[in-house]
Amino acid sequence: MRSWLSTRRGKPDLPPLMLARFEEMGFDLSQFVPALLRPPSQTFRINTLKAEREQVLKSLSYLEPEPVGWNDLVFRIKGRLKLGNLLEHFLGLIYAQDSSSTIPVTVLDPQPDEEILDMAAAPGSKATQIAAAMRNTGLLVANDVSPGRIPSLTGNLDRSGVLNTVVTRLPGQAYGHIAAERFDRVLIDAPCSSEGTLSRSFKALEIWSKSAIKRLSTTQRKLIMSAYYSLKPGGVMVYSTCTFAPEENEGTVSYLLEKFPQARVESINLEGLKTQPGFSEWRGEAFNPAVKNIIRLFPHQHDGEGFCVARISKPS
Ligand SMILES: C[S@@+](CC[C@H](N)C(=O)[O-])C[C@H]1O[C@@H](n2cnc3c(N)ncnc32)[C@H](O)[C@@H]1O
């Protein structure tokens, strides 16, 4: 076991290189690290494929759910009750989902009767949210390369009453070729170094390293290019990660803009959400100025996992 994986009072010592990078990103470690390791409030999304909003709010009123603001189907509760253990979750009336994880699909804004690709979909938190926004119409392709993660994806689609979705198990890189200019919208919730999830689980520490960031950013560049190819002219895609690493966020989006200068990184405004703009540079390398429209969520400012979200459109 790596030495920094030993825990003190249940909290890990973060790798020195990770802490040095956070400092380089401009974080005050005395605020940032405790917030990063503190579990955020529990949140749930109402699944409108199976339940009425008011009916769910009535049956869960004992939890005193508070709306998050930017999405009227997402609620925060007080206390540490595990929402994933509730009957309402097993019945698919709600989906226990971190508040930050609900943002990429809110930003994607799926519509009924569209054709949409969720390129890295397992275990399906966002695919089920997309299908609900589409009201089970049109076509959702929920893809994931990992055979071991497909059962959780199909299980969550079933539990949520999703009927408009086909599941595929391909490298996302393939879609640009096999389905060029096919989709109205694409979500790439990319495989990433998951630094923003440390408040819920220390699993990310098992794979985290400088070389992992490099390897992941190479895959992300291929996925974002494939997604852009698979988008119809006039289509919209969202690129998201749950990590802070600039190489995996602004670096990936800048790479797309280098290859396709006509792609537009749109601004994102969500009511009541405290966000920061994308970084303008990292280690002396300037990013494309358009990446300032990326939103970043930090755990010392937002009660949820660390996240990064970009909305990108393809001209007609
Ligand atoms: C952040 S997780 C996705 C979470 C999912 N969107 C959700 O909301 O439940 C990233 C996923 O990318 C998948 N993945 C990794 N490399 C991939 C690739 N080349 N093509 C497609 N999926 C990939 C992983 O198996 C993993 O399930």
Side-chain angles (χ1 to χ4, degrees):
M1 195 197 287
R2 300 184 195 186
S3 61
W4 37 259
L5 265 179
S6 62
T7 59
R8 263 190 283 128
R9 278 178 273 116
K11 304 233 164 168
D13 291 324
L14 297 180
L17 179 64
M18 181 186 268
L19 293 173
R21 283 174 54 93
F22 288 160
E23 236 170 353
E24 237 181 304
M25 289 177 211
F27 300 131
D28 173 349
L29 295 187
S30 67
Q31 287 178 16
F32 184 76
V33 173
L36 179 61
L37 299 180
R38 189 185 315 127
S41 305
Q42 303 287 313
T43 46
F44 67 86
R45 171 173 55 79
I46 296 175
N47 176 24
T48 48
L49 293 180
K50 281 204 164 174
E52 298 286 335
R53 184 176 182 276
E54 299 316 316
Q55 168 208 344
V56 171
L57 290 178
K58 197 167 161 202
S59 75
L60 295 183
S61 58
Y62 67 98
L63 296 174
E64 300 178 54
E66 298 270 352
V68 291
W70 67 85
N71 181 323
D72 62 6
L73 296 173
V74 182
F75 293 82
R76 225 182 275 290
I77 62 157
K78 294 195 182 81
R80 303 247 62 92
L81 181 94
K82 277 201 92 160
L83 289 165
N85 291 342
L86 291 180
L87 181 63
E88 284 81 355
H89 177 81
F90 285 114
L91 294 175
L93 309 182
I94 63 166
Y95 198 110
Q97 188 175 359
D98 180 84
S99 73
S100 301
S101 155
T102 67
I103 292 168
V105 176
T106 307
V107 169
L108 186 67
D109 192 23
Q111 298 296 318
D113 296 319
E114 289 184 331
E115 293 198 356
I116 301 186
L117 169 66
D118 184 350
M119 191 177 259
S125 312
K126 299 178 189 71
T128 51
Q129 188 180 356
I130 294 172
M134 296 170 82
R135 297 189 213 137
N136 254 342
T137 64
L139 173 70
L140 171 61
V141 178
N143 176 69
D144 201 282
V145 78
S146 165
R149 288 169 68 91
I150 296 289
S152 57
L153 171 60
T154 51
N156 281 323
L157 292 169
D158 276 354
R159 189 172 52 77
S160 303
V162 171
L163 300 171
N164 69 342
T165 299
V166 292
V167 172
T168 59
R169 187 173 61 75
L170 289 169
Q173 292 88 324
Y175 270 94
H177 307 289
I178 61 173
E181 301 203 340
R182 170 79 202 232
F183 296 103
D184 298 291
R185 296 177 205 251
V186 178
L187 174 67
I188 323 149
D189 189 37
C192 70
S193 55
S194 306
E195 294 162 348
T197 64
L198 290 171
S199 55
R200 291 202 192 277
S201 146
F202 303 139
K203 215 161 168 246
L205 292 179
E206 290 167 17
I207 61 125
W208 190 92
S209 67
K210 209 167 109 185
S211 58
I213 292 174
K214 188 153 181 22
R215 179 177 46 75
L216 286 160
S217 74
T218 304
T219 303
Q220 291 154 355
R221 287 175 179 211
K222 293 179 183 158
L223 293 177
I224 203 168
M225 291 289 287
S226 173
Y228 194 77
Y229 282 124
S230 72
L231 207 55
K232 277 181 187 163
V236 173
M237 68 192 217
V238 163
Y239 174 81
S240 58
T241 74
C242 54
T243 204
F244 306 111
E247 298 91 328
E248 299 182 54
N249 294 309
E250 292 84 355
T252 309
V253 175
S254 271
Y255 178 79
L256 176 76
L257 296 173
E258 197 185 295
K259 303 291 173 195
F260 292 101
Q262 68 276 28
R264 261 197 72 221
V265 186
E266 298 185 353
S267 60
I268 299 170
N269 293 303
L270 294 177
E271 194 187 316
L273 189 64
K274 188 147 179 54
T275 62
Q276 295 296 331
F279 292 168
S280 56
E281 59 95 29
W282 175 243
R283 298 190 159 165
E285 190 198 327
F287 294 121
N288 187 303
V291 303
K292 70 171 189 322
N293 285 340
I294 291 176
I295 57 169
R296 280 178 162 272
L297 293 150
F298 297 131
H300 58 306
Q301 296 171 342
H302 165 73
D303 184 7
E305 292 179 349
F307 244 82
C308 194
V309 182
R311 180 178 154 107
I312 299 161
S313 57
K314 189 177 201 171
S316 304

